[in-house]
Amino acid sequence: PSVVVAAETDLDVLIATIDARRPPLAVIDSIQTVDDQGCAGAPGSVNQVRGAAARLLSLAKTSGVPIVLVGHVTKEGAIAGPRTLEHMVDVVLYLEGERHGDHRLLRGVKNRFGSTDDIGILVLDDAGIRESDAPGRAFLDEASLGIPGSALAVVCEGSRPLAVEIQALAVKTDFPQPRRTASGFDLARLHVLLAILDKRAKIRLGSSDVYLNAVGGVRIGEPAADLAAALALAGAATDRVLPPGCVVVGEVGLGGEVRRVRRTEQRLVEAAALGMQAAILPAAHASLGPSGMRCHHVATLAEAVRLLV
């Protein structure tokens, strides 16, 4: 009863309604269907979207009513329509996730009023969309961590440490050009890690198809997951696994060295809260480690590979 719905696409009517009612929040779904009679072109065209967004932005500033514009996205995942739409508004949020999964990520890519270095973890259920009760466990499946080619990393999305399982698969191929596929992980970084494994740890994957996946639709953009990805690849190649209940944190350099990463202590606290009993860390973090957690400090990738069992 407290939500007023207007089945209307005429921009003049929408603006008059919002201005008259002054609701605590107005949602336009979607900006591509709004028809501005003062602009040439069909609804959804560049002129129409730009003109409608400009008028709604002016209304929000003068009336004090926050307005949310729902926008379509292209197949590549970018906002459909003119790029100026993103420059005009104050905040841009993306709702992402695997289409057939039950989790969604609300990610800020622009915010004029604060930081974008955080994500919201949401759950789809019969009641709708709600905030995850245990975001740290959202993408964690203990049953699959004991499989060769699987490693657990703790990445930091803004202020939130997030446990992410990284899975790798290596299969011998008869084709001269082996295939490399990455989901949720930078493909160029995967190529670099494969080269480091070959040169520094003697893990040969030059004749194998390699697949790397960050479970749950998460996109990993920080180097702290390098060591976990490299160990997952090494485990997939040698059919060995990490010690039970082990989390992996560290950046891998071109020389095969394992480099320190920021906020390691917060990552370990999150891992301990999830029940992890062991950790593989850079040697530079020899003084870190929650009580009760066995910490293996490694200086090189080759040392870390030797911890596989």
Side-chain angles (χ1 to χ4, degrees):
S2 61
V3 178
V4 177
V5 179
E8 183 61 64
T9 59
D10 191 314
L11 181 61
D12 293 327
V13 176
L14 294 175
I15 288 177
T17 302
I18 294 172
D19 194 35
R21 289 184 174 270
R22 297 294 174 98
L25 178 69
V27 180
I28 308 296
D29 186 7
S30 66
I31 187 62
Q32 279 86 2
T33 63
V34 171
D35 184 10
D36 185 357
Q37 298 293 335
C39 288
S45 64
V46 172
N47 285 339
Q48 284 276 336
V49 172
R50 184 190 296 120
R55 292 183 62 187
L56 288 169
L57 178 66
S58 177
L59 173 65
K61 300 297 185 184
T62 56
S63 66
V65 176
I67 299 178
V68 174
L69 305 180
V70 179
H72 301 179
V73 294
T74 63
K75 292 180 180 179
E76 291 76 24
I79 296 178
R83 296 293 297 182
T84 53
L85 180 61
E86 296 184 52
H87 298 298
M88 294 167 67
V89 298
D90 295 320
V91 177
V92 179
L93 301 173
Y94 279 84
L95 190 60
E96 306 171 339
E98 291 291 337
R99 182 172 184 176
H100 302 291
D102 58 356
H103 285 89
R104 294 293 184 270
L105 302 179
L106 189 65
R107 186 187 304 273
V109 298
K110 174 186 177 181
N111 185 1
R112 282 200 176 123
F113 310 111
S115 173
T116 58
D117 294 331
D118 210 343
I119 61 171
I121 301 177
L122 310 174
V123 179
L124 297 177
D125 58 21
D126 295 338
I129 300 180
R130 60 176 176 82
E131 186 178 1
S132 175
D133 297 327
R137 288 185 172 271
F139 309 104
L140 183 60
D141 185 359
E142 288 88 347
S144 62
L145 289 175
I147 299 175
S150 183
L152 183 68
V154 179
V155 299
C156 283
E157 291 283 353
S159 60
R160 186 194 298 271
L162 189 64
V164 178
E165 182 183 352
I166 299 177
Q167 291 184 323
L169 180 64
V171 183
K172 291 292 183 181
T173 180
D174 296 327
F175 293 98
Q177 186 67 36
R179 185 176 184 181
R180 278 83 171 89
T181 302
S183 176
F185 197 87
D186 184 59
L187 182 60
R189 192 60 185 166
L190 170 59
H191 290 154
V192 172
L193 291 177
L194 290 173
I196 298 172
L197 281 167
D198 189 301
K199 182 70 173 180
R200 308 300 181 187
K202 309 307 178 187
I203 303 294
R204 313 296 186 187
L205 289 167
S207 60
S208 299
D209 290 337
V210 175
Y211 306 90
L212 191 69
N213 177 43
V215 176
V218 179
R219 289 205 316 267
I220 299 176
E222 66 163 352
D226 280 358
L227 186 57
L231 290 181
L233 292 166
T238 60
D239 204 30
R240 292 186 291 166
V241 299
L242 287 166
C246 186
V247 66
V248 183
V249 176
E251 179 183 357
V252 178
L254 293 179
E257 75 278 12
V258 178
R259 307 172 72 90
R260 63 190 305 159
V261 297
R262 66 184 181 92
R263 302 184 61 193
T264 301
E265 191 170 358
Q266 291 94 321
R267 299 174 200 264
L268 294 178
V269 169
E270 178 67 18
L274 296 175
M276 298 294 109
Q277 299 92 32
I280 299 177
L281 303 172
H285 292 310
S287 61
L288 295 181
S291 59
M293 179 176 282
R294 303 187 314 275
C295 293
H296 306 279
H297 297 94
V298 295
T300 65
L301 178 58
E303 287 183 42
V305 170
R306 287 196 288 270
L307 295 174
L308 295 170
V309 296

